């Protein structure tokens, strides 16, 4: 009898171990995936938004996280920026950030209607991301023609909250300044940087999780002349999906089966004892 009961106990422990293993396999969330979005050589095909318009384009990166980029020209106003021909564009030649062969979303305008008009760039992720980092290239100035101004740098959380960047820094001192903090951060060009170096590069980080980020770009010089910036590649981690909805059902079913088997075994042992008595 002792050997049989010991065998039953071992069998029960094995079953419980199987249930635990099943719960781990079924309920464990997906591991976060590090991703880099290098802007494709196919380029920006959405066209150039006129004042008051927004043009958007979606890029397939890694399932399930397509990325949609929207470029707005001065909100809903009938006046705003005049684009250089064929811009916005994606290339590695106009502005390089000091890198070789790396595409950026290049924004290049020949004029702005006023210092209060702006270009707003919004990047939306199909799934939440964390540890987002990216660069804005060539934020600088040329007196009498342009002063690049970057402002309203913000992101949207999965709960639709609005947050500022966790870090905004200049790679090289002397070509731009950063003032304020959080949602009130403003970046202003101060001197002319070389288009093919990182002199005007700004590094931006959002720890997240976020589903979208955006920034506005304007000309703070009354000359309102030609100006250009580039949005470099995006690096981020896709937030793991939560455990599948039926995970709890699987665990509960396994627990019920375990409970039933245990009491069935206990009842059988009691019945055998009564017969022997």
């Amino acid at each position: 009898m002792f050997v049989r009961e010991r065998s039953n106990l071992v069998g029960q422990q094995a079953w419980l171990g199987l249930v635990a293993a099943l719960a781990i396999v079924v309920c464990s969330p997906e591991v976060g995936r590090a991703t880099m979005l290098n802007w494709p050589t196919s380029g920006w095909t959405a066209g150039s938004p006129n004042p008051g318009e927004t043009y958007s384009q979606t890029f397939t990166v890694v399932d399930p996280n397509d990325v949609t980029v929207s470029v707005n020209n001065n909100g809903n106003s009938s006046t705003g920026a005049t684009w250089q021909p064929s811009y916005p564009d994606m290339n590695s030649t106009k502005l390089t950030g000091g890198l070789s062969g790396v595409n950026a979303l290049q924004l290049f305008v020949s004029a702005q209607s006023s210092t209060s008009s702006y270009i707003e760039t919004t990047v939306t992720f199909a799934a939440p991301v964390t540890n987002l980092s990216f660069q804005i290239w060539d934020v600088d100035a040329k007196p009498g023609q342009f002063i690049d101004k970057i402002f309203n740098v913000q992101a949207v959380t999965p709960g639709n909250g609005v947050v500022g960047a966790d870090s905004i820094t200049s790679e090289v001192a002397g070509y731009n300044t950063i003032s304020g903090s959080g949602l009130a951060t403003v970046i202003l060009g101060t001197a002319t940087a070389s288009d093919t170096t990182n002199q005007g590069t700004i590094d931006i980080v959002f720890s997240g999780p976020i589903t979208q980020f955006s920034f506005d770009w304007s000309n703070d010089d009354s000359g309102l002349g030609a100006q250009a910036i580039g949005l470099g590649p995006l690096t981020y981690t896709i937030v793991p999906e939560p455990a599948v909805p039926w995970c709890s059902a699987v665990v509960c079913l396994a627990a019920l089966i375990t409970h039933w088997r245990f009491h069935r075994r206990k009842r059988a042992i009691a019945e055998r004892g009564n017969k022997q008595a």
Side-chain angles (χ1 to χ4, degrees):
M1 178 64 70
F2 174 77
V3 174
R4 181 181 298 175
E5 295 309 320
R6 179 177 177 82
S7 176
N8 290 337
L9 178 60
V10 171
Q12 190 71 22
Q13 289 174 337
W15 172 255
L16 290 173
L18 178 61
V19 171
L22 177 63
I24 290 172
V25 171
V26 173
C27 302
S28 294
E30 180 185 1
V31 176
R33 291 174 291 170
T35 300
M36 173 177 282
L37 168 58
N38 290 307
W39 300 113
T41 54
S42 57
W44 177 264
T45 59
S48 306
N50 293 315
E53 295 181 336
T54 300
Y55 285 2
S56 301
Q57 188 169 335
T58 298
F59 303 91
T60 299
V61 188
V62 177
D63 179 64
N65 212 15
D66 288 351
V67 174
T68 300
V69 181
S70 300
V71 178
N72 168 265
N73 191 342
N74 202 22
N76 296 317
S77 176
S78 59
T79 60
T82 301
W83 295 95
Q84 287 280 1
S86 302
Y87 283 87
D89 190 26
M90 289 178 181
N91 64 58
S92 60
T93 56
K94 171 58 183 172
L95 308 173
T96 71
L99 304 174
S100 176
V102 178
N103 284 338
L105 172 61
Q106 312 264 359
L107 306 176
F108 187 12
V109 301
S110 57
Q112 281 280 13
S113 60
S114 71
T115 55
S116 61
S117 62
Y118 61 90
I119 299 294
E120 181 174 72
T121 301
T122 303
V123 178
T124 303
F125 301 96
V129 304
T130 60
N131 305 317
L132 169 69
S133 63
F134 60 91
Q135 296 178 332
I136 301 178
W137 298 346
D138 204 46
V139 181
D140 61 348
K142 185 175 182 179
Q145 179 176 328
F146 72 90
I147 297 174
D148 286 324
K149 179 180 179 181
I150 306 293
F151 60 107
N152 286 338
V153 182
Q154 60 185 22
V156 177
T157 69
N160 292 322
V162 178
V163 296
D166 292 276
S167 174
I168 300 180
T169 56
S170 299
E171 285 210 349
V172 181
Y175 298 93
N176 47 60
T177 61
I178 301 172
S179 61
S181 61
L183 296 172
T185 301
V186 176
I187 307 154
L188 284 176
T190 56
T192 305
S194 170
D195 292 348
T196 57
T197 70
N198 68 337
Q199 290 175 342
T201 295
I202 299 294
D203 295 313
I204 299 177
V205 175
F206 286 95
S207 297
I210 62 171
T211 57
Q212 180 188 94
F213 76 88
S214 61
F215 62 89
D216 293 348
W217 169 54
S218 67
N219 191 340
D220 211 42
D221 189 297
S222 58
L224 299 173
Q227 60 182 144
I229 60 170
L231 174 61
L234 313 179
T235 301
Y236 53 87
T237 300
I238 299 174
V239 175
E241 294 182 0
V244 289
W246 38 270
C247 169
S248 58
V250 171
V251 174
C252 288
L253 178 60
L256 286 172
I257 293 173
T258 301
H259 180 79
W260 175 76
R261 289 189 57 172
F262 174 77
H263 284 281
R264 183 185 177 192
R265 179 72 61 185
K266 185 176 179 181
R267 186 169 58 250
I269 293 171
E271 290 174 353
R272 284 199 301 270
N274 291 334
K275 289 179 180 180
Q276 293 174 355

